[in-house]
C-alpha cells in the first residue's frame, strides 16, 4: 500500500476554515485518495475521495496537487463537531482500507 | 440516512469463551468488512467478505476467527476462544462495490473486553 504522511495534530478556531495536509509522494497513477474521519468513541466515517481533480461535497473539499504527490482536505467552516482524527488513505481496487495514525484535529471554541 | 448497525455495543467475556459479534450492513450493499481498533492504536483490517466467501484477510484473522452471513441481513464475526489481546473495538463496514472508487460505511462498533 502507498504510504501517506500527515501531521500528528492540528488546532483550529471554530468557524474558521481548516486545511489538513497529506503527503503521498509514492502514489501510483491509479491510486485514489480517500479521507475518513473518526469522531471520539465512534466508527470511521467517510469524508471525501478523489483521483486527479479537486472534489467538493457537503462535508468538505479535496484539493489534489497537480503532480498528485500531496493533497489537502478543506473544512470550510469548522465546528466543534469536526473535532476528530482525520485519515488520508490511498489505494486502487483494494478492498481494504489501511489506516495510519492520522491527524488529530482540535477545534477551539 | 442508511446505517450499519452493530450489536452488542459492549461485550464482556471470559478468556477462552466464544463470542459472536453481529452486524446488519446497509441493505443493498454487497461487500462486508470487519476491522478492529485496540485502545489507543490504529484501525486494523481483519477480513472482507463478498458473495458468501472471504475475499481477503489479514494476518490477524487466524483460525480463531470466522465470519458468516447466516441470512440476508446479518453479518457475524465469531472468535472461538478469546484471548486477553482480543480486547478491542470491532467495527463492521459495508460498501456497494469494492475498490477505492467508493465509500465504506462503518458501524458504531462493539467494544469487546476479555477478562
Amino acid at each position: 500500500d502507498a504510504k501517506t504522511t500527515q501531521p500528528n495534530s492540528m488546532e483550529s478556531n471554530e468557524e474558521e476554515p481548516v486545511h489538513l495536509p497529506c503527503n503521498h509522494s509514492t502514489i501510483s497513477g491509479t491510486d485514489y485518495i480517500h479521507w475518513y474521519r473518526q469522531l471520539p468513541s465512534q466508527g470511521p466515517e467517510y469524508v471525501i475521495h478523489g483521483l486527479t481533480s479537486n472534489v467538493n461535497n457537503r462535508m468538505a473539499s479535496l484539493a489534489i496537487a497537480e503532480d498528485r504527490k500531496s493533497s489537502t482536505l478543506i473544512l470550510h467552516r469548522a465546528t466543534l463537531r469536526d473535532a476528530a482524527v482525520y485519515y488520508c488513505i490511498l489505494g486502487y481496487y483494494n478492498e481494504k482500507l489501511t489506516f495510519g495514525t492520522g491527524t488529530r484535529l482540535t477545534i477551539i471554541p | 440516512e442508511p446505517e450499519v448497525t452493530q450489536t452488542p455495543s459492549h461485550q464482556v467475556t471470559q478468556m477462552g469463551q466464544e463470542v459472536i459479534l453481529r452486524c446488519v450492513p446497509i441493505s443493498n450493499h454487497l461487500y462486508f468488512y470487519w476491522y478492529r481498533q485496540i485502545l489507543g492504536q490504529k484501525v486494523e483490517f481483519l477480513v472482507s467478505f463478498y458473495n458468501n466467501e472471504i475475499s481477503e484477510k489479514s494476518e490477524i484473522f487466524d483460525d480463531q476467527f470466522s465470519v458468516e452471513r447466516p441470512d440476508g441481513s446479518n453479518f457475524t464475526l465469531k472468535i472461538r476462544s478469546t484471548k486477553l489481546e482480543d480486547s478491542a473495538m470491532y467495527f463492521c463496514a459495508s460498501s456497494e462495490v469494492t475498490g477505492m472508487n467508493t465509500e465504506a460505511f462503518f458501524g458504531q462498533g462493539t467494544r469487546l473486553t476479555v477478562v
Side-chain angles (χ1 to χ4, degrees), chain B residues 63-82:
Chain B
D63 292 343
Q64 293 297 315
F65 291 88
S66 63
V67 289
E68 194 179 32
R69 189 154 162 82
D71 54 42
S73 59
N74 291 287
F75 180 50
T76 62
L77 174 69
K78 182 193 290 186
I79 309 175
R80 286 189 186 77
S81 177
T82 50

Side-chain angles (χ1 to χ4, degrees), chain A residues 14-57:
Chain A
E14 193 178 10
E15 299 186 7
E16 290 187 358
V18 182
H19 290 235
L20 295 162
C22 180
N23 287 320
H24 29 79
S25 57
T26 60
I27 190 170
S28 74
T30 52
D31 280 336
Y32 282 85
I33 303 160
H34 275 234
W35 284 82
Y36 281 77
R37 71 180 184 181
Q38 188 173 20
L39 278 64
S41 302
Q42 294 194 28
E45 176 186 31
Y46 168 82
V47 178
I48 200 167
H49 78 281
L51 183 60
T52 56
S53 304
N54 294 344
V55 184
N56 300 297
N57 67 18

Side-chain angles (χ1 to χ4, degrees), chain A residues 38 42-44 87, chain B residues 35-44 87-91 111:
Chain A
Q38 188 173 20
Q42 294 194 28
Y87 301 99
Chain B
Y35 291 79
R36 80 171 186 190
Q37 186 173 32
I38 296 170
L39 186 63
Q41 298 188 24
K42 299 178 190 178
V43 177
E44 301 174 289
S87 296
M89 283 290 291
Y90 287 80
F91 296 109
R111 179 172 299 283

Side-chain angles (χ1 to χ4, degrees), chain A residues 32 34 36 38 41-46 49 58 87 89-101, chain B residues 1 31 33 35 37 42-45 48-50 55-56 89 91 98-104 106-108:
Chain A
Y32 282 85
H34 275 234
Y36 281 77
Q38 188 173 20
S41 302
Q42 294 194 28
E45 176 186 31
Y46 168 82
H49 78 281
R58 62 178 177 84
Y87 301 99
I89 301 171
L90 305 185
Y92 170 70
Y93 226 76
N94 182 354
E95 294 187 355
K96 67 178 187 282
L97 294 165
T98 302
F99 290 82
T101 53
Chain B
E1 188 169 314
Y31 296 86
Y33 314 86
Y35 291 79
Q37 186 173 32
K42 299 178 190 178
V43 177
E44 301 174 289
F45 168 78
S48 58
F49 190 86
Y50 168 70
S55 47
E56 186 175 359
M89 283 290 291
F91 296 109
T98 190
M100 290 298 279
N101 190 20
T102 186
E103 59 180 286
F106 284 78
Q108 292 303 298

Side-chain angles (χ1 to χ4, degrees), chain B:
Chain B
E1 188 169 314
E3 59 180 14
V4 175
T5 306
Q6 291 187 243
T7 54
S9 55
H10 191 186
Q11 171 118 27
V12 181
T13 188
Q14 288 200 325
M15 192 168 54
Q17 295 296 304
E18 174 183 288
V19 294
I20 298 176
L21 309 183
R22 301 180 193 280
C23 169
V24 179
I26 294 171
S27 60
N28 63 335
H29 285 187
L30 301 176
Y31 296 86
F32 314 111
Y33 314 86
W34 284 100
Y35 291 79
R36 80 171 186 190
Q37 186 173 32
I38 296 170
L39 186 63
Q41 298 188 24
K42 299 178 190 178
V43 177
E44 301 174 289
F45 168 78
L46 291 178
V47 66
S48 58
F49 190 86
Y50 168 70
N51 201 23
N52 284 322
E53 60 183 28
I54 291 172
S55 47
E56 186 175 359
K57 60 182 180 179
S58 71
E59 290 178 356
I60 303 167
F61 194 89
D62 62 21
D63 292 343
Q64 293 297 315
F65 291 88
S66 63
V67 289
E68 194 179 32
R69 189 154 162 82
D71 54 42
S73 59
N74 291 287
F75 180 50
T76 62
L77 174 69
K78 182 193 290 186
I79 309 175
R80 286 189 186 77
S81 177
T82 50
K83 309 185 193 76
L84 294 176
E85 53 265 38
D86 294 328
S87 296
M89 283 290 291
Y90 287 80
F91 296 109
C92 173
S94 69
S95 65
E96 277 186 276
V97 295
T98 190
M100 290 298 279
N101 190 20
T102 186
E103 59 180 286
F105 291 78
F106 284 78
Q108 292 303 298
T110 293
R111 179 172 299 283
L112 177 65
T113 303
V114 182
V115 297

